């Protein structure tokens, strides 16, 4: 287990933080775009039948530090999440959480206090490093931070016996990331896909289906966007070069940066953006770009000229993940809440609202009752062919993280 050492951010890491706070996934406007129109209460249901499927053996690790579990006596759970990441009805109630409370008697203190991974980590790491309770039983963070928390031994190993729906219904493409083999410590809240999006009016009707077109198509010069998230932009470029983002070497990374730099130098790339690319893509000022699938779903609802493509070379998927911190006082209650969101009905209700990739198998029929278009949308429920093209960016060592972010910062001018 990696030993935590207090550190200062490198210049590259500070640049990455600035990108995240101002334009990346941390930008509050990104999730505010994802409001769906469906509301209403979710009826409480019983446990569904479990499908017969297996999950690979858990990876090495001794687990975190448990406190006395007060779940039986204290029927509550404290859950910290991102903004706009939970279904809300017209009366500002949270239907799936309310249904969970009605069924179990467990009250959820739900707090939208995660605006950025780095910011949240800075808030809780002094207590975690000191072996103290952070006042949260369940948190939701992006995969790279989840990996860090697991390495430091700051989160608790999950009890598989308390997660029957999660164990059975987790989509195959998310079952065994390299940073948490077998999902011993985490379960995905949502998947986040980086795909190609284009405005067919701005491209003159031409389909844009590859990163090579983004980088080399003369008719797109000055109207191409890439994301300010290093893993998404470099990962998509690596795939286009025939490299595996889960197993690349330093030379591969440098070659991807060089390829992007060439496009910057010839002014093919307009800019590197967070979710603020959406307005430019909608207007056609950006003709084509690497985009987040959740944004594309929303843009297509309002603009029929917006299209997306899954490159033959594949696409990058990351996850936001549920974890139980060390010393959490209501571990069993937190596990019940995780498992609840792997039942098809609440999973479908959540997916219909937030429009991200649903990591739960077996929700299509339930989602079709709420929103037939969402149930047919592969950006929300990937079919087998699309899921087979998904790739995760491998976990980085601290040394690699610093070096790679420095190179990416030089590329983007941040």
């Amino acid at each position: 287990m990696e030993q935590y050492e207090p550190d200062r951010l490198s210049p590259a890491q500070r640049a990455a933080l600035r990108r995240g706070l101002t334009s990346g996934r941390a930008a509050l406007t990104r999730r505010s775009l994802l409001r769906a129109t469906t509301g209403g209460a979710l009826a409480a249901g019983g446990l569904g039948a479990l499908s017969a499927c297996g999950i690979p053996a858990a990876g090495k690790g001794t687990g975190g530090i448990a406190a006395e579990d007060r779940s039986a006596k204290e029927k509550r759970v404290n859950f910290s999440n991102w903004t706009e990441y939970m279904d809300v009805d017209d009366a500002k109630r949270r239907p799936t959480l309310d249904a969970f409370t009605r069924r179990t008697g467990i009250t959820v203190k739900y707090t939208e206090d995660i605006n950025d991974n780095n910011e949240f980590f800075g808030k809780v790491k002094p207590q975690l490093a000191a072996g103290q309770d952070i006042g949260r039983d369940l948190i939701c963070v992006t995969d790279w931070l989840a990996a860090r928390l697991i390495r430091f031994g700051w989160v608790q190993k999950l009890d598989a016996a308390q997660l029957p729906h999660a164990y059975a219904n987790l989509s195959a493409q998310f079952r065994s990331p390299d940073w948490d083999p077998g999902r011993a410590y985490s379960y995905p809240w949502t998947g986040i896909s980086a795909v190609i999006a284009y405005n067919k009016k701005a491209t003159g009707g031409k389909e844009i289906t590859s990163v090579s077109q983004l980088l080399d198509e003369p008719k797109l010069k000055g109207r191409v966007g890439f994301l300010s998230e290093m893993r998404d932009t470099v990962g998509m470029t690596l795939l286009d070069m025939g490299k595996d983002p889960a197993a690349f070497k330093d030379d591969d990374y440098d070659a991807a940066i060089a390829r992007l730099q060439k496009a910057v130098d010839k002014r093919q790339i307009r800019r590197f953006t967070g979710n603020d690319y959406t307005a430019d893509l909608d207007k056609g000022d950006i003709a084509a770009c690497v985009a987040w699938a959740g944004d594309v779903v929303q843009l297509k609802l309002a603009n029929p000229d917006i299209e997306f493509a899954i490159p033959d070379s594949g696409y990058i998927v990351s996850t936001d993940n549920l974890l139980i911190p060390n010393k959490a006082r209501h571990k069993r209650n937190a596990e019940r809440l995780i498992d609840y969101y792997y039942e098809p009905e609440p999973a479908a209700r959540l997916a219909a609202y937030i429009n991200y990739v649903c990591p739960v198998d077996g929700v299509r029929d339930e989602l079709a009752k709420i929103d037939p278009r969402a149930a047919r949308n592969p950006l929300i429920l990937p079919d087998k062919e699309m899921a087979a093209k998904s790739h995760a960016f491998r976990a980085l060592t601290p040394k690699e993280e610093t070096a790679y972010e420095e190179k990416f910062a030089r590329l983007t001018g941040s």
Side-chain angles (χ1 to χ4, degrees):
M1 184 175 294
E2 182 178 336
Q3 178 67 37
Y4 168 70
E5 296 180 1
D7 56 0
R8 295 181 179 177
L9 294 178
S10 70
Q13 290 169 324
R14 287 196 295 272
L17 175 59
R18 286 196 301 274
R19 289 198 304 273
L21 287 171
T22 57
S23 60
R25 293 188 52 247
L28 298 184
T29 53
R30 179 160 192 257
R31 283 187 174 83
S32 67
L33 288 172
L34 306 180
R35 288 187 179 274
T37 58
T38 54
L42 171 67
L47 296 179
L50 300 182
S51 62
C53 62
I55 291 180
K60 295 180 180 179
T62 58
I65 303 172
E68 176 190 356
D69 194 346
R70 304 181 186 182
S71 292
K73 296 179 180 179
E74 300 176 357
K75 303 287 281 185
R76 63 176 181 265
V77 61
N78 298 323
F79 181 11
S80 283
N81 205 349
W82 298 72
T83 59
E84 307 296 345
Y85 231 15
M86 179 65 70
D87 55 305
V88 179
D89 65 16
D90 292 339
K92 305 302 181 183
R93 295 184 296 260
R94 298 187 173 100
T96 56
L97 285 180
D98 291 345
F100 174 78
T101 298
R102 288 195 300 271
R103 183 198 301 183
T104 64
I106 298 170
T107 300
V108 182
K109 181 182 178 182
Y110 184 76
T111 308
E112 295 178 325
D113 62 346
I114 303 179
N115 296 319
D116 172 76
N117 286 290
N118 283 298
E119 178 188 78
F120 182 72
F121 180 64
K123 184 190 306 183
V124 300
K125 72 178 180 181
Q127 294 164 281
L128 289 171
Q132 298 172 354
D133 175 25
I134 64 170
R136 299 166 177 86
D137 302 301
L138 192 63
I139 61 175
C140 182
V141 297
T142 305
D143 44 19
W144 64 265
L145 180 53
R148 181 183 297 177
L149 295 173
I150 292 169
R151 288 199 312 269
F152 291 160
W154 288 355
V155 293
Q156 298 185 56
K157 185 172 284 189
L158 301 172
D159 184 352
Q162 301 302 318
L163 298 162
H165 294 96
Y167 185 94
N169 295 338
L170 176 59
S171 176
Q173 74 179 110
F174 299 116
R175 285 195 172 187
S176 196
D178 63 353
W179 48 269
D180 187 17
R183 291 289 180 179
Y185 296 88
S186 68
Y187 269 91
W189 181 247
T190 55
I192 305 157
S193 300
V195 300
I196 290 176
Y198 60 97
N199 185 319
K200 62 185 179 183
K201 184 176 181 180
T203 66
K206 185 177 182 63
E207 294 184 349
I208 308 300
T209 61
S210 71
V211 170
S212 288
Q213 285 177 281
L214 295 179
L215 294 174
D216 301 323
E217 173 62 56
K219 292 183 179 180
L220 298 179
K221 183 175 180 178
R223 298 186 295 151
V224 169
F226 277 80
L227 294 170
S228 57
E229 293 286 345
M230 180 268 286
R231 288 165 176 81
D232 291 328
T233 285
V234 176
M236 291 289 281
T237 305
L238 285 167
L239 283 168
D240 191 71
M241 297 168 65
K243 301 297 181 179
D244 184 357
F248 65 90
K249 306 297 184 184
D250 286 350
D251 288 347
D252 300 323
Y253 184 90
D254 290 345
I257 291 292
R259 190 165 184 224
L260 289 161
Q261 185 65 59
K262 182 179 178 180
V264 169
D265 293 343
K266 66 181 183 182
R267 298 185 179 179
Q268 179 79 4
I269 296 175
R270 182 184 183 93
R271 61 194 181 105
F272 294 86
T273 73
N275 75 286
D276 50 326
Y277 67 84
T278 55
D280 285 345
L281 181 63
D282 187 48
K283 292 185 294 184
D285 292 341
I286 285 181
C289 60
V290 174
W292 285 303
D295 293 340
V296 178
V297 172
Q298 291 298 314
L299 285 171
K300 281 180 64 64
L301 290 174
N303 186 345
D305 290 326
I306 302 300
E307 298 290 349
F308 74 93
I310 305 300
D312 290 339
S313 58
Y315 66 103
I316 293 292
V317 171
S318 57
T319 51
D320 281 340
N321 307 275
L322 301 172
L323 302 99
I324 298 176
N326 282 354
K327 292 297 186 76
R329 299 183 181 188
H330 309 100
K331 181 174 185 286
R332 182 67 57 86
N333 291 344
E335 289 170 335
R336 292 184 70 179
L337 186 58
I338 294 172
D339 195 60
Y340 167 75
Y341 277 104
Y342 274 81
E343 295 179 31
E345 192 174 8
R349 183 68 65 182
L350 182 67
Y353 187 85
I354 65 176
N355 293 162
Y356 278 82
V357 178
C358 179
V360 183
D361 279 342
V363 303
R364 192 175 304 277
D365 289 346
E366 292 294 336
L367 185 55
K369 297 175 186 177
I370 303 167
D371 187 343
R373 289 183 301 179
R376 295 190 299 268
N377 193 328
L379 296 181
I380 298 174
L381 295 182
D383 55 28
K384 289 183 178 179
E385 182 181 359
M386 181 171 170
K389 292 183 178 181
S390 69
H391 297 264
F393 198 94
R394 70 171 173 82
L396 301 178
T397 67
K399 182 178 179 180
E400 286 176 328
E401 178 104 36
T402 298
Y404 291 172
E405 285 289 3
E406 285 177 350
K407 293 172 182 178
F408 191 69
R410 288 196 295 270
L411 169 73
T412 61
S414 56

